[in-house]
Structure formats: C-alpha cells, structure tokens
Amino acid sequence: MNGCDYVQVNYGGFIPISTVDWPGRAVCTLFLRGCPVRCDYCHNVHLQNGKDYRPLDWVFEQIQSSRIAVSAVVFSGGEPTQQGEALCELARRSKKEGFLVGLHTNGVFPAAIQKLLDERLVDHLALDIKAKWNRYDNLLRERFSASVKETLNICRNAYLRGELPEFQVVVTLFRGYEDEVKYISRDTEGLEFVLQQGVFGMVPPLSSDELKAIADCLFRPVIIRTREDGEFQYEGTRIGRASGERQG
C-alpha cells in the first residue's frame, strides 16, 4: 500500500483553466489552504486559515480532470509548501501524468522547496519577496527573513545548475515603498525580476508608467504586471544600457 494513501490535503480550491498563473501557458491551478504569513494585502486572505481536508486521491483527480485542456499545474495558496508532504506527492503524480509543475511560494519553508527541487518536481517557481531584508521581520511580525533568504539561495543555485528551468523573483510593490526595490534587485541580480502592482485599500496603486520609472533605476530588464496593462517585458530607457540589452 502506498504510504501516501491516507494523506489529507487542506484544500483551498481549484481553477480548471488559467492563463495568468503561468504566463504563456494554459494551466490548472490548485490552491492549498493555510499560510503562516499574515499579509494585510493578501488577495487570498480567506485561505490563510480554516480547514477543508480532502483525500489526496480526490484532489489529484481535480488535476487530472483538466488534462485535455492544459499542459501544467500550478500550486498556489495560501502557502502550498506549508503542506510539504501532500505537495510533494501531488507534484510527483502530476509529473508522472506528463504535467509541468509550477509553484507560487513566499519561501518560508525552505526544506519543503529543497525536497521538491532535489526530486526535480518543479519546472517554474515564482518566489514572492516582500521587502528589503532589514524590514522583513517587522513587516511580517515573525522571524521569516532567514528562511526566505535560504529559499532564495536554494532556488538560485538550482536554477544556475539547470535543475530549475524557470525561476522568477516577484515583488508586489505599493506606493510609498518604491525605494525598497533597488535593495531587492541587488540581491537577486541575474534572475528574472517581476514588479507587480500592489493593490490595497484606498491607496492609489502605482501605474505602469510609475513602475517603468522605478525599473529604469535598476539597470536591468524587468517584467511589469498591472491590472490595467497585464504583463509585459520592460527593457528600460536609462542611459548606459543599449535598447534590448539584457544585463545580469
């Protein structure tokens, strides 16, 4: 009998077809419930807590049901790596079925991510870095910065060794915190870098043009995501870098 036959998944929901969770691919997206990080701006705040345990076989059947329409599955949340055992088994089964596997993570469980990468179970990983390191623990009200740094190093090394085909660092940026981007950019040089428009409460979100101006100060190509304009590659216009030149 498979040791995972009795694994239960704290289930958060399922989208059979998505074109936004892994840009350029049609994927299904599985949300796993539970997250130790309490971001006030989280767009899935209802998944931070609560219980909805389902058998792992039942959850995997949801993924299989999308096989005819999609090429990949993305695990999101909540924080999917909080359920490390269930996540690994779902990723194993997905790979055996021919799915590519994507993962959205805040990086606070580096051991779970290391296990996934050791088994070559992830094809695309998006790591959410929330602030510069000296503000991280105060912002999240927990000591998470060391774990996220460890995850960044694990993923960077796997990417450079060719064991992680696609790796993005994602920064969700809110007005008033523009200066933090340069510090995060410095520590993630050479990696694909995403500036994502943050939307929270009554604070006016940064526009595409404002995010372009921030990117110009980084001297590197970035991906910009906004509600108005979707996702696009931005190479920058600052003097000292030729048009279209990729640095890092």
Side-chain angles (χ1 to χ4, degrees):
M1 181 175 293
N2 190 316
C4 294
D5 288 344
Y6 296 103
V7 171
Q8 296 285 300
V9 178
N10 197 1
Y11 176 74
F14 182 72
I15 298 175
I17 302 178
S18 168
T19 58
V20 298
D21 290 313
W22 186 339
R25 289 191 179 278
V27 307
C28 60
T29 304
L30 179 68
F31 297 91
L32 301 186
R33 187 177 293 274
C35 180
V37 180
R38 297 291 187 263
C39 296
D40 296 330
Y41 57 84
C42 179
H43 66 283
N44 283 340
V45 66
H46 62 289
L47 296 180
Q48 290 180 353
N49 297 300
K51 296 178 181 180
D52 184 4
Y53 284 100
R54 311 285 183 94
L56 190 143
D57 286 346
W58 181 92
V59 174
F60 186 62
E61 286 173 4
Q62 309 307 301
I63 297 172
Q64 287 179 306
S65 70
S66 292
R67 187 68 186 92
I68 194 170
V70 304
S71 62
V73 54
V74 171
F75 295 100
S76 189
E79 174 48 46
T81 59
Q82 180 168 297
Q83 300 185 59
E85 182 182 3
L87 175 61
C88 277
E89 181 59 19
L90 288 167
R92 288 186 198 105
R93 294 189 185 189
S94 297
K95 294 288 281 185
K96 288 179 181 177
E97 287 287 315
F99 288 94
L100 296 175
V101 171
L103 176 65
H104 296 171
T105 180
N106 59 31
V108 299
F109 295 104
I113 292 172
Q114 182 71 72
K115 183 172 179 57
L116 287 162
L117 294 176
D118 286 345
E119 295 189 35
R120 302 288 188 95
L121 295 177
V122 181
D123 301 286
H124 169 87
L125 192 148
L127 173 62
D128 178 22
I129 295 185
K130 300 179 183 299
K132 59 184 181 181
W133 300 124
N134 64 5
R135 201 173 73 85
Y136 225 90
D137 292 343
N138 286 337
L139 174 69
L140 302 186
R141 299 181 289 276
E142 293 281 351
R143 293 178 179 268
F144 287 130
S145 59
S147 294
V148 179
K149 285 181 184 179
E150 183 179 353
T151 292
L152 174 60
N153 288 331
I154 288 169
C155 294
R156 188 205 314 268
N157 291 336
Y159 174 71
L160 293 176
R161 291 193 301 263
E163 297 167 2
L164 175 59
E166 298 181 18
F167 177 41
Q168 292 183 332
V169 171
V170 180
V171 179
T172 302
L173 190 58
F174 296 89
R175 190 175 299 278
Y177 295 95
E178 297 91 336
D179 186 59
E180 299 203 7
V181 175
K182 63 185 179 183
Y183 298 100
I184 302 172
S185 176
R186 180 191 61 196
D187 289 343
T188 58
E189 185 178 354
L191 303 174
E192 191 167 64
F193 196 67
V194 180
L195 292 181
Q196 182 167 273
Q197 179 191 63
V199 178
F200 178 65
M202 301 300 293
V203 179
L206 294 163
S207 67
S208 291
D209 286 341
E210 288 174 308
L211 290 170
K212 287 178 183 178
I214 294 167
D216 283 338
C217 298
L218 304 180
F219 297 99
R220 66 186 292 180
V222 303
I223 293 170
I224 293 176
R225 291 179 188 154
T226 69
R227 290 188 174 184
E228 299 78 17
D229 300 317
E231 175 174 306
F232 58 93
Q233 183 85 21
Y234 182 67
E235 297 288 339
T237 60
R238 287 295 294 262
I239 296 173
R241 183 173 70 213
S243 177
E245 179 183 348
R246 298 183 66 88
Q247 294 189 0

